[in-house]
Amino acid sequence: MNALKLPEGWEDTSPKAPSSTRRRRLSHLAALESESIHIMREVAAECANPVLLFSGGKDSIVMLRLAEKAFRPGKFPFPLLHIDTEHNFPEVIDYRNRRAAELGERLIVRSVQDSIDRGRVVPKSPDESRNRMQSVTLLDAISEFGFDACFGGARRDEEKARAKERIFSFRDDFGQWDPKNQRPELWDLYNTRVRTGLDVREHMRVFPISNWTELDIWQYIGQERLEIPSIYFAHRRDVVARGNGFLAINELVKPKAGEVPENRMVRFRTVGDMPCTCAVESDAATVEAIIRETAATRITERGATRMDDQVAEAAMELRKKEGYF
């Protein structure tokens, strides 16, 4: 008797059993993909005006791929939104614009600089990180377009606050998250109800890849052969050692007194503002090499790369309470 041919992404877990009684289950990437597509379709079915936050980073790139699988051949039932601090790496912004055009999807960009010009945000100093300022611009954009659900590419393994946030995260009239008042999520049953009305601005943040790890993301990028910005691959760059990492030298980051510029082989594990996103030393120039490197690392992605998360033990949670991603 010929062996059963399993669908792509499935694996046979009992090779010694007769073919007629073999158990089948999804591979771990196929299971994660299936769950994420289910969540995206649930939001598209239940919410009136969702939006997908797209920064050009690896997590939101995976989100775009999942949206393609969930909704193609039609267009996405939501636009893309980027909150641009204008302190991002230019390679990432170039990728963002090109990828949105290739997909033929609507990209909305709202700028932190515009919020500063309008007096909505007042920096304490010209060189202050704009990462935290994004919350104001994001909440203004949500109010401007009336979005009731925002897809985000956050994952539980990134940071403690993200580990405790639910997949469907309820935000109040002020866009704030209350970690002590979260809705239960049992057996993939999600509560998508938000209050609506002329004077009510509640909404949801939804994280379809919350259960993915950094390694899962890279394995999926490799499996799907997804293009990513060049800064993720190892390259030589002028950097300066600051804090626990290396900051790339550019128009926003200059060596301070006592700091010595160095030219090192580095890559970035995450994308973000140039003044607060550190590079890591690496010679991983391919996705396969990044997968091997990620599997061996013992330092969390944000712990290794984000200076704004090292300010305080609860830095991310405080930002999320204010309306951050």
Side-chain angles (χ1 to χ4, degrees), residues 272-319:
D273 274 12
M274 290 185 286
C276 68
T277 304
C278 294
V280 296
E281 289 193 281
S282 170
D283 59 0
T286 65
V287 171
E288 291 72 22
I290 292 174
I291 291 172
R292 290 194 296 271
E293 189 176 89
T294 304
T297 189
R298 293 294 178 267
I299 303 177
T300 64
E301 176 183 336
R302 297 192 72 91
T305 64
R306 300 300 290 265
M307 297 186 73
D308 51 334
D309 287 343
Q310 299 170 10
V311 174
E313 183 72 15
M316 172 66 83
E317 182 162 328
L318 292 173
R319 292 203 302 274

Side-chain angles (χ1 to χ4, degrees), residues 39-236:
I39 292 168
M40 285 187 157
R41 288 175 174 169
E42 181 79 1
V43 170
E46 295 290 335
C47 298
N49 191 21
V51 67
L52 190 153
L53 304 177
F54 176 58
S55 65
K58 63 183 185 306
D59 298 316
S60 57
I61 290 170
V62 167
M63 292 276 287
L64 288 189
R65 181 59 173 159
L66 295 168
E68 285 186 277
K69 292 198 173 186
F71 304 110
R72 287 292 191 249
K75 292 183 71 66
F76 297 169
F78 40 74
L80 313 180
L81 171 65
H82 183 220
I83 304 303
D84 191 348
T85 64
E86 300 189 31
H87 283 179
N88 296 283
F89 290 91
E91 300 97 319
V92 179
I93 297 302
D94 291 343
Y95 176 90
R96 178 201 70 184
N97 295 336
R98 180 165 47 80
R99 188 67 187 127
E102 289 171 351
L103 289 170
E105 300 293 342
R106 180 188 177 199
L107 172 64
I108 300 170
V109 177
R110 287 295 177 268
S111 167
V112 171
Q113 183 61 52
D114 287 342
S115 298
I116 295 174
D117 294 342
R118 291 187 290 112
R120 292 283 296 147
V121 178
V122 180
K124 295 177 182 177
S125 64
D127 59 351
E128 181 185 359
S129 170
R130 293 186 171 183
N131 202 27
R132 190 169 185 170
M133 303 175 197
Q134 292 180 90
S135 301
V136 174
T137 311
L138 172 61
L139 294 176
D140 285 350
I142 291 171
S143 177
E144 175 186 354
F145 292 95
F147 296 128
D148 58 352
C150 301
F151 288 112
R155 309 184 321 269
R156 287 197 171 106
D157 77 324
E158 287 183 78
E159 200 275 340
K160 295 186 287 295
R162 287 185 165 167
K164 70 170 73 170
E165 190 167 17
R166 303 287 163 79
I167 292 175
F168 281 67
S169 182
F170 173 77
R171 301 300 178 104
D172 66 14
D173 291 351
F174 304 98
Q176 296 177 327
W177 173 58
D178 181 0
K180 296 181 180 178
N181 185 27
Q182 300 191 81
R183 296 172 176 177
E185 293 180 343
L186 305 174
W187 304 292
D188 297 336
L189 297 176
Y190 303 111
N191 185 346
T192 62
R193 178 172 296 181
V194 294
R195 288 192 301 140
T196 59
L198 294 177
D199 58 345
V200 178
R201 296 189 298 177
E202 291 181 348
H203 67 278
M204 306 284 293
R205 306 288 173 85
V206 184
F207 305 108
I209 60 170
S210 186
N211 290 330
W212 296 49
T213 66
E214 183 185 9
L215 182 59
D216 295 329
I217 292 292
W218 282 113
Q219 289 176 331
Y220 193 74
I221 288 172
Q223 172 184 289
E224 300 294 312
R225 302 182 183 279
L226 301 180
E227 181 188 355
I228 55 176
S230 58
I231 67 170
Y232 280 118
F233 297 113
H235 56 284
R236 299 206 72 86

